[in-house]
Amino acid sequence: MGKGKKTTTFILAILIILGSGVLVYKSTTTNSVEKQIVQESTMTTETPPKIDPTMDDKENKKTVEKDTNQDKHQSTVKPQKPKEVVSSTYANEKMGWYYKPNKEHQLPEVNNRGKESLAKYRGIYHGDISGKNLYLTFDEGYENGYTSKILDTLRDANVKVTFFITGDYLRRNPELVKRMVREGHIVGNHTDNHPSLPTVSDATLQKEINSLSDAFTKETGATMQYLRPPMGEYSERTLKLTYEMGYRNVFWSVAMVDWRPDAGTPEQNKNTVKERLHNGAVILLHAVNKANADMLGSLIQECRDEGYRFCGLEEIQ
């Protein structure tokens, strides 16, 4: 074989070897990528809905349908807005109002820090304790058909109270709110959308209160001066901001588990309130509770029989 032919043969051999290597490399790379895709698809596979063996077939079917619908919803839901940044520099530790009821008819023990903060910003949780004074308040988150009866009872007994309403309540029940004002009751601010005030920014807090107040004034011609923080949650920041807005925060010294419409009987609810009464008591009742509406007349009469008088929040200095 001549020198030229040997060189050509050598080059061809080199090319064959290199070509084989490229093929091997491509094959290896392809297999590796496919393997990676399989691993990722396994990791992201959705977990099937859990089937509870203690549930019947209909209940399990509902569970599966619920999970499926949830997946569909999650695939179309928009990203949530970032959590609001509180702009105020004042302390914003969220606190919940609480008290320890007693049957000795004495002013109950409350959160000391909360009591100090209320004193600092003219907040209220009791009234004049030098005499047998009672201050009756109702929370109105939504209408459940009992407010007209409550207003009838208050009118017949000549008792004036404070109703704390939300924006939704005003929008749905403007005539009831107008009646409250017309018959001499105070209507207080329970915010537009019932948020926990320490969790929202200064701007949102002000909007929650002002939007309801403005709508109330437009509807009735009256103004709002009292605020009940939703869920009784507050902080020094929220007390200060709302105080600067011209509001007095109103909590309570007598309450019970009555926010459920069917909680208690008329006799049970009346007795619970009476057991916890004391001079200067600010009483919180929920107007959505049927038992409260049914027992209100006898509660007022029995309290009067025991020497108590019903006062308005405007009498609290």
Side-chain angles (χ1 to χ4, degrees):
M1 184 181 296
K3 185 175 181 181
K5 290 184 178 180
K6 287 184 179 180
T7 302
T8 300
T9 302
F10 179 75
I11 292 172
L12 288 172
I14 293 296
L15 290 174
I16 291 170
I17 292 171
L18 288 175
S20 300
V22 170
L23 290 172
V24 171
Y25 172 77
K26 286 184 177 179
S27 176
T28 304
T29 304
T30 302
N31 289 337
S32 177
V33 172
E34 288 176 350
K35 184 178 181 182
Q36 184 178 356
I37 291 173
V38 170
Q39 288 175 336
E40 290 176 351
S41 66
T42 303
M43 292 169 60
T44 58
T45 298
E46 294 178 1
T47 304
K50 294 181 179 179
I51 302 299
D52 188 343
T54 64
M55 298 166 59
D56 60 30
D57 292 339
K58 290 183 179 179
E59 289 174 322
N60 277 318
K61 184 178 179 182
K62 289 180 182 178
T63 302
V64 173
E65 289 175 350
K66 181 180 177 182
D67 287 350
T68 303
N69 291 334
Q70 184 177 1
D71 292 339
K72 290 179 181 177
H73 172 72
Q74 288 175 346
S75 64
T76 59
V77 73
K78 295 180 180 179
Q80 291 185 349
K81 293 181 180 179
K83 190 175 181 180
E84 287 190 278
V85 177
V86 173
S87 56
S88 177
T89 58
Y90 294 96
N92 194 50
E93 178 186 349
K94 182 167 72 173
M95 293 182 281
W97 183 255
Y98 72 86
Y99 76 101
K100 293 182 179 179
N102 62 71
K103 296 184 180 181
E104 287 73 47
H105 303 291
Q106 300 295 318
L107 185 66
E109 179 184 345
V110 300
N111 182 333
N112 283 330
R113 290 177 59 197
K115 182 166 66 172
E116 291 172 2
S117 296
L118 290 192
K120 188 175 180 180
Y121 299 110
R122 295 195 71 227
I124 294 169
Y125 78 95
H126 68 81
D128 181 6
I129 62 174
S130 65
K132 303 192 79 169
N133 306 300
L134 301 178
Y135 308 81
L136 189 56
T137 70
F138 287 87
D139 278 5
E140 294 272 20
Y142 64 95
E143 178 55 37
N144 202 29
Y146 308 126
T147 303
S148 290
K149 181 177 181 177
I150 289 170
L151 286 168
D152 290 345
T153 301
L154 295 172
R155 178 199 59 206
D156 295 343
N158 192 27
V159 170
K160 302 298 186 280
V161 305
T162 301
F163 292 94
F164 289 96
I165 66 169
T166 61
D168 183 69
Y169 190 89
L170 175 61
R171 287 184 286 273
R172 292 174 182 269
N173 308 280
E175 294 307 315
L176 281 174
V177 176
K178 288 177 184 177
R179 182 182 172 187
M180 294 171 188
V181 174
R182 187 170 61 249
E183 296 184 358
H185 303 290
I186 294 173
V187 177
N189 199 315
H190 204 34
T191 73
D192 195 356
N193 298 293
H194 206 264
S196 173
L197 294 183
T199 68
V200 300
S201 68
D202 292 2
T204 298
L205 181 149
Q206 291 166 338
K207 182 179 179 182
E208 279 287 334
I209 293 170
N210 287 336
S211 59
L212 171 55
S213 177
D214 292 345
F216 171 74
T217 299
K218 183 177 179 180
E219 195 72 58
T220 67
T223 59
M224 290 179 159
Q225 304 174 41
Y226 300 94
L227 169 72
R228 176 157 282 158
M231 298 162 286
E233 294 179 343
Y234 64 100
S235 67
E236 182 179 358
R237 176 184 72 97
T238 67
L239 293 177
K240 185 177 190 305
L241 284 173
T242 52
Y243 169 71
E244 291 175 345
M245 293 172 69
Y247 284 89
R248 298 189 73 179
N249 283 258
V250 182
F251 293 89
W252 55 86
S253 61
V254 172
M256 58 183 170
V257 182
D258 66 339
W259 55 87
R260 297 196 311 270
D262 59 348
T265 66
E267 197 68 17
Q268 288 171 337
N269 288 7
K270 180 182 68 176
N271 289 339
T272 299
V273 172
K274 289 186 64 181
E275 286 174 354
R276 299 176 179 183
L277 286 182
H278 61 88
N279 288 5
V282 174
I283 304 168
L284 163 61
L285 296 177
H286 285 80
V288 300
N289 183 286
K290 184 178 186 301
N292 285 349
D294 291 342
M295 66 84 173
L296 183 60
S298 60
L299 172 68
I300 291 172
Q301 187 57 53
E302 290 180 24
C303 287
R304 282 175 166 167
D305 291 343
E306 295 177 15
Y308 287 102
R309 62 182 286 264
F310 288 90
C311 311
L313 292 182
E314 74 278 1
E315 299 181 45
I316 301 176
Q317 302 301 313

